[in-house]
Amino acid sequence: PRMPTAPVLAVRAVKGNIGVYFTGLGAVTPIYTVTVRSRVEGQLMKVYYQEGQFVHESDPLVDIDPRPYQVQLTQYEGQLMHDQSLLENARIDLARYQQLIGKKAVPEQTLATQRSLVTQYEGTVKSDQGLVDSAKLNLVYCHITAPISGRLGLRLVDPGNYVQVGSATSLAVITEVDPISVIFTLPEDQLTAVLERVHAGKRLSAEIWNREMTSRLSTGYLTTLDNQIDQTTGTLKLRAVVDNKAGLLVANQFVNAKLLVQDKRGVTLVPTASIQRNSQRTYAYVIQPDQSVTVRDLVLGTTEGGETEVQKGLAPG
């Protein structure tokens, strides 16, 4: 009996564009991560934020009991007023002695002693002013605000706890999430092509994909290269800053980074599935005008996604 014919699908080689990508495994790394700690001691009165909330710079986070520092400020202001009064009186006496010294009504020693006393009171007033400013600064520190815009993590403290300076427990952790960076590695034999384009002033675009390379999560640009190669792995670290408005990237998430090194335009492209290989050659079945089939040897270039560049062996159409 005759063998049944095998159905096939034919496609035309087309003229198009294809990108040359270098792919490396990376991890999502926030550009800024701030651990918020207290600069003063006291009871935690109020927590304004919620877990996972997005906050803007200067938004209130927590309040620490300000009353002890308010009392301290009042004491320092009173001491400052007392010493300012002594300084003012000493200056009046100094002016009087300066007039009397011209009439030789007081000895030179009295004038010198009064000048020294004025200088002493001036130093005391300056020290008192420093104590007042320090107390005012502590009052500012009692109201803790967000130093950057970003997303908060889990709540680490509850109202009513006593907060101490230098405690191992922080008040909050803020992570900047948009934009966000991805640090990935490339083998050293691919660095020459990257460095040539970076030194030429070109801005290389980057795509961030999930671990299975099935979904593109974000896009951005290469910003930084590390200054030394890891000799144990023969790779170099690179940083790409990408958009994260959709919130698909989370700190420390493992991803794949695809760095666009070259954009080839006007080349011959065919579906990768149409290319055949054996141990000796790379080829494709080409349909002739009379509907017969011939085997054509191919020289391939870049493969990206489901398309492959054909450098020799086929023409568009």
Side-chain angles (χ1 to χ4, degrees):
R2 295 182 57 186
M3 295 294 294
T5 57
V8 295
L9 176 66
V11 295
R12 290 187 181 272
V14 298
K15 186 177 182 179
N17 306 327
I18 191 169
V20 179
Y21 288 89
F22 291 164
T23 303
L25 182 64
V28 179
T29 306
I31 301 175
Y32 296 109
T33 298
V34 177
T35 300
V36 181
R37 301 183 187 276
S38 176
R39 297 187 182 184
V40 294
E41 297 183 355
Q43 186 178 15
L44 191 63
M45 303 299 291
K46 191 169 184 179
V47 176
Y48 293 97
Y49 69 87
Q50 297 179 351
E51 295 179 329
Q53 175 186 349
F54 185 89
V55 295
H56 296 88
E57 184 177 355
S58 301
D59 284 352
L61 297 179
V62 298
D63 277 344
I64 296 174
D65 188 1
R67 291 173 294 180
Y69 301 101
Q70 185 64 57
V71 172
Q72 194 176 54
L73 175 61
T74 302
Q75 293 175 341
Y76 289 152
E77 288 177 337
Q79 184 64 38
L80 175 61
M81 293 174 61
H82 174 267
D83 292 335
Q84 284 176 334
S85 177
L86 293 177
L87 174 61
E88 183 179 356
N89 184 66
R91 284 173 173 170
I92 293 174
D93 289 343
L94 176 61
R96 184 182 302 114
Y97 290 152
Q98 287 174 336
Q99 293 177 356
L100 294 176
I101 198 68
K103 300 177 182 180
K104 297 183 179 181
V106 293
E108 291 282 350
Q109 181 63 39
T110 301
L111 179 61
T113 300
Q114 190 63 30
R115 284 175 176 168
S116 176
L117 184 62
V118 170
T119 303
Q120 177 182 342
Y121 283 149
E122 286 176 345
T124 302
V125 169
K126 193 171 185 179
S127 178
D128 291 342
Q129 185 62 55
L131 293 175
V132 170
D133 293 340
S134 177
K136 290 181 178 179
L137 186 59
N138 285 336
L139 285 174
V140 174
Y141 288 158
C142 288
H143 181 67
I144 300 176
T145 59
I148 64 171
S149 298
R151 191 171 303 281
L152 286 157
L154 300 178
R155 192 170 70 183
L156 303 176
V157 290
D158 296 317
N161 287 301
Y162 189 83
V163 178
Q164 293 182 330
V165 178
S167 174
T169 302
S170 59
L171 301 179
V173 177
I174 304 176
T175 299
E176 186 181 32
V177 294
D178 184 32
I180 202 166
S181 72
V182 173
I183 295 179
F184 61 100
T185 58
L186 289 179
E188 57 182 321
D189 57 357
Q190 295 180 344
L191 295 180
T192 302
V194 176
L195 292 174
E196 286 177 351
R197 287 158 178 80
V198 170
H199 293 161
K202 294 183 178 179
R203 194 180 189 187
L204 302 184
S205 62
E207 297 179 358
I208 308 303
W209 293 68
N210 60 1
R211 297 187 65 174
E212 295 77 19
M213 294 293 290
T214 57
S215 175
R216 189 174 68 178
L217 305 178
S218 183
T219 58
Y221 295 93
L222 177 70
T223 59
T224 310
L225 290 83
D226 201 358
N227 59 359
Q228 58 183 350
I229 293 175
D230 187 348
Q231 293 184 342
T232 59
T233 60
T235 60
L236 182 73
K237 291 182 179 179
L238 301 89
R239 182 193 295 271
V241 175
V242 299
D243 174 78
N244 193 31
K245 290 184 175 61
L248 299 179
L249 298 176
V250 182
N252 300 325
Q253 176 183 357
F254 284 104
V255 293
N256 284 292
K258 294 176 60 177
L259 186 66
L260 179 61
V261 180
Q262 183 182 0
D263 191 15
K264 294 183 177 181
R265 296 185 173 275
V267 298
T268 302
L269 301 177
V270 298
T272 304
S274 66
I275 299 171
Q276 311 297 315
R277 290 179 174 85
N278 58 30
S279 60
Q280 299 176 345
R281 61 200 298 201
T282 301
Y283 61 95
Y285 294 109
V286 181
I287 302 176
Q288 302 299 306
D290 61 356
Q291 297 300 304
S292 64
V293 176
T294 184
V295 175
R296 189 82 58 84
D297 290 336
L298 305 179
V299 177
L300 305 181
T302 302
T303 297
E304 173 58 32
E307 293 183 321
T308 297
E309 172 197 8
V310 178
Q311 296 178 340
K312 291 182 181 180
L314 289 176

